Amino acid sequence: MSRNSLAPGAAGLHLVSDLPLLRPDEQVFTAMLDGWRNQQLARNLAFSTIEGREKTVQALARHADAFPWTWSPQMLDEWMGDLRAVRGLKRSTLRNYQGAVRSFCEFAVDPAYGWAATCEERFGTHPIQIVHEWNAAVHVEDAEADAAKRPLHPGRVAGVLRPRRRPGHQGSRPGPQRLAARVS
């Protein structure tokens, strides 16, 4: 396969094979992130989305003090627990972080990009998917925001928009019977 026919983000586009690296762990991780960025750009994702996802993956790497080819689901669980218990992050934020890590791991293990083979060759191990249905936050409510920020329920909207009438008050607009009595 020629260099020009590689998928955006492929290892062969970011690392020269057989070239020794000064700091292989850091350089391969940086190249993986660059490759993932290119893959996301090819998918036409927003720059802000890409940058947020990169920061999330880098934060996991810092917290775990490990590179992606040594990550485990337990490392993710520990990080999520710290984010929730210590930093008090909301469920929706944790779910967003898990989505970013899941996406990165899918990229890293996809044979089309060659990162698993590159890591196996250089480090004797390879990245795995660490976000699974059994350790990922699920979306259980339509609106998880605080009640003050939550959109109104349709029944509540009708109640807010319906004019309130005082008991025994006919209102300012005549009803059909009163209108007919005026006309005759």
Side-chain angles (χ1 to χ4, degrees):
M1 182 180 274
S2 73
R3 186 174 172 95
N4 292 334
S5 64
L6 296 175
L13 296 174
H14 296 274
L15 295 172
V16 177
S17 62
D18 301 329
L19 181 69
L21 301 173
L22 184 60
R23 294 181 318 273
D25 289 340
E26 294 173 21
Q27 289 174 288
V28 169
F29 182 46
T30 300
M32 285 176 94
L33 288 173
D34 290 344
W36 187 42
R37 179 180 192 76
N38 289 345
Q39 183 252 12
Q40 292 177 93
L41 287 170
R43 292 175 43 215
N44 204 24
L45 295 181
F47 288 107
S48 59
T49 300
I50 296 168
E51 290 166 6
R53 287 177 168 188
E54 282 182 25
K55 287 178 182 177
T56 299
V57 169
Q58 290 168 336
L60 171 58
R62 277 191 308 276
H63 182 274
D65 195 24
F67 292 101
W69 47 92
T70 62
W71 288 351
S72 68
Q74 293 79 10
M75 291 176 177
L76 177 76
D77 293 347
E78 181 182 312
W79 185 50
M80 289 291 120
D82 285 351
L83 291 175
R84 183 79 195 269
V86 176
R87 293 193 45 206
L89 296 184
K90 304 282 186 193
R91 280 179 252 151
S92 57
T93 303
L94 296 179
R95 210 175 33 258
N96 188 20
Y97 287 3
Q98 289 170 345
V101 172
R102 181 189 318 252
S103 176
F104 175 77
C105 290
E106 286 171 354
F107 165 77
V109 302
D110 190 329
Y113 301 107
W115 289 107
T118 298
C119 291
E120 185 72 42
E121 176 185 313
R122 291 184 184 259
F123 308 115
T125 187
H126 57 84
I128 61 169
Q129 179 58 264
I130 62 170
V131 183
H132 304 281
E133 65 180 44
W134 47 264
N135 72 340
V138 294
H139 194 273
V140 294
E141 296 181 28
D142 289 336
E144 293 180 337
D146 294 333
K149 296 179 182 177
R150 198 173 295 152
L152 293 175
H153 183 274
R156 177 82 172 119
V157 171
V160 169
L161 296 178
R162 187 178 312 121
R164 295 181 185 247
R165 297 189 181 196
R166 295 185 301 254
H169 184 261
Q170 296 295 325
S172 59
R173 294 183 57 196
Q177 292 85 11
R178 289 182 45 202
L179 197 59
R182 281 190 189 171
V183 175
S184 46

